[in-house]
Amino acid sequence: MTGILGGNPKDEPMHYGEIFSVWQASMVAKGALSFYRAYTYHAGDNDLKKVLAALIDQAELEISECDSLLADNGIASAPVMPSRPEVKLEDIPVGARFTDPEIAAKIAADNAAGLVACSQVMGQSIREDVGALFAKYHLTKAAIGLKILHLTKKKGWLIPPPLQVKRPEAVKA
């Protein structure tokens, strides 16, 4: 015998936490899409542009999938941000331009926050399809995060936290 939460997860109701998390993920992805596109105009490094393209693709996927999930459950999604006009890097005044190291640091921090958010949704979900969706996003963000880390190390843009260069000697008890 199966109850209201048995059978096909897509036939199960979403609980309020799942609804809010999916709605919020869509809203965050729409904002990220807007500023990743802006960062693309500011970026000069081709490797950084490739990572930004991957982030844009991921944001577009998350928007599409989360908005479809919301619509299937009769819930309106967050509005889309207006598209930015394209601009060439050399047309952006130097004082207003984001540098490649600034962009790399910001996308690394955003991606790390996205990993935490995905983990939270996975932990709160009782619908397997919602948890699996955010597990998929988590895996993709982890892979992109590794690319960002390699990029920042290779380019010399990584600003590490204080490093423990000299280790204290072990105390024998």
Side-chain angles (χ1 to χ4, degrees):
M1 180 171 114
T2 59
I4 192 170
L5 298 177
N8 186 347
K10 294 181 180 186
D11 295 333
E12 297 174 2
M14 291 173 69
H15 66 69
Y16 291 111
E18 290 168 328
I19 292 167
F20 178 73
S21 293
V22 172
W23 185 91
Q24 186 178 38
S26 170
M27 183 188 69
V28 168
K30 288 170 183 170
L33 182 61
S34 178
F35 62 76
Y36 292 156
R37 285 181 176 152
Y39 289 160
T40 300
Y41 304 144
H42 288 249
D45 185 86
N46 286 329
D47 293 330
L48 179 58
K49 288 181 183 183
K50 288 176 188 172
V51 172
L52 286 164
L55 288 166
I56 287 169
D57 290 345
Q58 181 61 23
E60 288 173 338
L61 176 69
E62 290 176 20
I63 291 164
S64 172
E65 292 179 340
C66 289
D67 285 359
S68 291
L69 184 56
L70 291 169
D72 291 346
N73 286 277
I75 299 153
S77 60
V80 178
M81 301 282 179
S83 294
R84 295 175 175 274
E86 287 193 35
V87 64
K88 293 180 181 163
L89 177 63
E90 55 273 5
D91 293 337
I92 303 171
V94 175
R97 195 180 301 166
F98 288 110
T99 65
D100 291 344
E102 287 174 313
I103 295 168
K106 179 64 173 143
I107 63 175
D110 287 343
N111 196 67
L115 286 167
V116 174
C118 287
S119 294
Q120 184 175 6
V121 179
M122 290 161 52
Q124 79 177 6
S125 294
I126 59 173
R127 272 187 47 168
E128 292 94 341
D129 61 329
V130 174
L133 183 66
F134 282 85
K136 179 179 79 165
Y137 296 161
H138 191 279
L139 285 170
T140 303
K141 289 177 187 303
I144 292 172
L146 192 56
K147 286 181 184 177
I148 296 168
L149 178 61
H150 288 157
L151 176 71
T152 58
K153 284 182 169 183
K154 181 175 122 180
K155 302 289 181 175
W157 300 338
L158 181 67
I159 302 170
L163 301 174
Q164 184 181 17
V165 179
K166 183 179 176 184
R167 296 182 185 200
E169 291 183 33
V171 176
K172 298 185 185 198

